[in-house]
Amino acid sequence: MTRYVQPVPTPDDPYTGDRLLRSWLHRQLGADGHAAAQGRLSDLAADVAGPLRAAHADAEAHPPTLVRYDPWGARVDRVDTSAGWQAQRAAAARHAVVALPYLESARGTWGAAARVVQHALLHLYGPESATFTCPVAMADGAAALLSLPEVDAGVREAWLPRLTSTDPDTAIVSGQWMTESQGGSDLSRSTTTGRPAADGSWRLTGEKWFCSAADAPMAVALARPEGAGRGSRVLAPFLVPRYAADSPLAGTTAAAGAPAPGVTVHRLKDKLGTWAVPTAEIGLRDAYALPLGDPAVPGLVRAMTLVVVTRVHNAAAAAGGMRRGLTYARAYADARAVAGGRLADNPLHRGTLGALAVDAAGAFALAGHAFALLGRVEVGADPDAAAELRVVAPLAKLATGRLAVSSASEYVECFGGAGYVEDTGVPRLLRDAQVLPIWEGTTNVLALDVLRAVTREDAGAPLLRRLTAAVDLARPLSPALADTLAAVAGELTAALADITADPQAAGVVAGARGLALRLAAALTCALLVEHAAWGDEQAEVAARLWARRRLRHEDIAGDAHQHLDLLC
């Protein structure tokens, strides 16, 4: 008897096979702008489908290790990473995944929409990057922070070109050292302190509990300047060199790759997922640091420049992973025979995949909108975009993170037993998705941030205006869709008015998660409607089904199975 071997599913090209991505770029960039981006996107897609997929597998199979001492007993705290991880690092630089929005050539071609092109790059690159998107996000956030005018020009000139280089031999990424074991997201409990030195640099002392990209040549750390008092507002961001070569305290005889004086890697974290990312607990003892802005001025607001960028990157990672998981699940369904036919022809399975495709489309639109707003803030200093981004960044992060986890669970199930076997690579979808609702703030932490934004800064107003406009756009497409949006807009208007009256009430705080998820679901529907009104049929179907699934809480499988081929 011949042993049956299941054919390995072959997914579509991640760029040409993603109709929503291509139509979104056409609308956001215009025909000429999209044409200018096609070569860059096609080149990355080819790398993703070839050498980077192999590099991804290698990095996952060979996680980082920590070497504390050299053969003669000297403390080295060296983090060794795989060839696959290094290949991902080089590719991120070569394809300008971090650098693009900072390049004058890109801004000259696309203006504020350079961030839209960057989002497309991340959408292609991220899902099979062995989560190198984590250091990419932190490098981008550090670059945005270093770009602020209040940062010393000398510090900017020394480090920003390295973060935004497209040469793999010179490009670096950044770590982010913020959380401490006693506080976590409660930054007000941070105990890391900073004291000034005579030469204008600072010395940091404290313990940082969750430091991703621990091999990065630099990190942005939060510390409490001496005499600054209590609370989180007074915390200031500092740039900490990771290696002796960049620390004047090491002198000129430090060995290549030696750790900077005062920086100790206690251990690497043993995590549920993101195995290839070196994440560590790091101790600081009078570590050399450079202030990013005036430490005498409360600095948490400066640090939020970095956090906003990393939050929208988190949303991009969620949406990209959802789309790639859907692509693999559909390819498997096309290749798998069950009950006398293809799994892809089974109405029940088609309905499952169709509903997942609707969620993937919504997550993509929400993440894409966040990047578009970010570009408008950075390039045009658009006050309307800044006001909307204040609430869209946390909404996009929290909503897509939760969608990514639920979708990943379904994708694993779509493969049956093979989805539970590590060497297929499928379980990684679920392991890696679970970090997305945690990093840069859990759902509850972000929901409270949204609550602060809508009650203290009237950040709900831009969303309500977008919803109201979407009702008119939806009317010619589907009266039922327009009626749903109008009802939700009225509901949210009343809810925001009620909570503003007493934002600290226990019931208001307890309901913050529900409010944030409802706002995100309504915003996503409006974004899909905007794209549908531009002329995208896939977005129109997705908008109608999203409204039923996420706003009216209906089962859409019966209709989703009919539209599966259009949706994915």
Side-chain angles (χ1 to χ4, degrees), residues 232-311:
S232 60
R233 290 181 63 253
V234 299
L235 297 176
F238 293 86
L239 188 158
V240 182
R242 168 74 172 82
Y243 298 111
D246 294 309
S247 173
L249 302 184
T252 58
T253 60
V263 178
T264 301
V265 180
H266 296 312
R267 64 171 177 167
L268 294 182
K269 297 288 194 181
D270 186 6
K271 298 167 293 180
L272 170 67
T274 64
W275 290 350
V277 182
T279 305
E281 295 177 22
I282 290 179
L284 303 173
R285 295 292 181 273
D286 283 332
Y288 177 85
L290 298 168
L292 298 176
D294 184 355
V297 177
L300 190 61
V301 67
R302 292 195 301 280
M304 287 304 297
T305 298
L306 182 155
V307 171
V308 167
V309 171
T310 52
R311 283 178 176 175

Side-chain angles (χ1 to χ4, degrees), residues 62-119:
H62 302 94
T65 57
L66 173 61
V67 179
R68 290 190 174 88
Y69 299 95
D70 73 6
W72 304 102
R75 188 75 185 244
V76 293
D77 285 357
R78 188 180 74 242
V79 177
D80 289 340
T81 55
S82 68
W85 183 254
Q86 294 305 319
Q88 293 288 352
R89 181 194 62 77
R94 191 170 60 250
H95 291 285
V97 179
V98 174
L100 189 82
Y102 301 93
L103 299 178
E104 288 301 323
S105 59
R107 289 191 173 186
T109 301
W110 298 293
R115 282 285 185 186
V116 173
V117 181
Q118 182 196 32
H119 172 236

Side-chain angles (χ1 to χ4, degrees), residues 173-249:
V173 290
S174 176
Q176 185 173 314
W177 302 349
M178 294 192 179
T179 59
E180 300 174 13
S181 57
Q182 73 279 7
S185 296
D186 183 5
L187 296 177
S188 66
R189 300 181 67 189
S190 296
T191 58
T192 299
T193 58
R195 60 179 180 83
D199 63 355
S201 66
W202 283 60
R203 304 293 179 265
L204 303 190
T205 296
E207 296 290 331
K208 296 299 183 179
W209 188 78
F210 208 91
C211 306
S212 287
D215 59 334
M218 61 161 282
V220 175
L222 280 182
R224 191 179 306 279
E226 278 187 345
R230 301 170 62 86
S232 60
R233 290 181 63 253
V234 299
L235 297 176
F238 293 86
L239 188 158
V240 182
R242 168 74 172 82
Y243 298 111
D246 294 309
S247 173
L249 302 184

Side-chain angles (χ1 to χ4, degrees), residues 291-532:
L292 298 176
D294 184 355
V297 177
L300 190 61
V301 67
R302 292 195 301 280
M304 287 304 297
T305 298
L306 182 155
V307 171
V308 167
V309 171
T310 52
R311 283 178 176 175
V312 301
H313 271 262
N314 199 93
M322 290 169 68
R323 174 65 202 185
R324 194 67 53 82
L326 176 66
T327 301
Y328 273 103
R330 176 62 194 270
Y332 181 75
D334 287 339
R336 180 69 173 169
V338 295
R342 291 189 317 155
L343 182 58
D345 295 328
N346 179 282
L348 177 59
H349 196 68
R350 288 178 65 86
T352 300
L353 291 177
L356 288 166
V358 170
D359 284 352
F364 173 81
L366 191 52
H369 181 55
F371 272 84
L373 291 174
L374 180 61
R376 287 166 52 195
V377 171
E378 291 176 332
V379 173
D382 184 332
D384 293 334
E388 190 172 357
L389 183 62
R390 170 65 185 92
V391 72
V392 167
L395 284 179
K397 192 277 182 188
L398 73 87
T400 58
R402 294 188 64 78
L403 284 172
V405 174
S406 61
S407 294
S409 179
E410 290 282 5
Y411 295 142
V412 170
E413 191 174 341
C414 284
F415 286 83
Y420 204 67
V421 179
E422 281 289 351
D423 57 7
T424 66
V426 178
R428 180 195 59 80
L429 297 174
L430 184 55
R431 287 190 284 99
D432 286 357
Q434 188 59 65
V435 76
L436 296 167
I438 296 174
W439 188 56
E440 292 299 15
T442 63
T443 304
N444 282 358
V445 168
L446 290 164
L448 292 175
D449 189 33
V450 170
L451 185 61
R452 286 190 294 271
V454 299
T455 56
R456 298 179 187 176
E457 303 169 48
D458 197 25
L463 300 190
L464 294 177
R465 287 194 294 270
R466 191 172 290 278
L467 280 178
T468 301
V471 172
D472 294 333
L473 292 174
R475 190 72 61 187
L477 302 174
S478 165
L481 172 59
D483 290 345
T484 297
L485 273 174
V488 172
E491 167 204 325
L492 289 172
T493 299
L496 292 178
D498 287 344
I499 67 171
T500 302
D502 188 4
Q504 299 302 317
V508 171
V509 175
R513 174 193 283 239
L515 173 68
L517 290 170
R518 191 69 167 165
L519 283 168
L523 171 62
T524 300
C525 191
L527 296 171
L528 289 171
V529 165
E530 290 173 8
H531 197 51

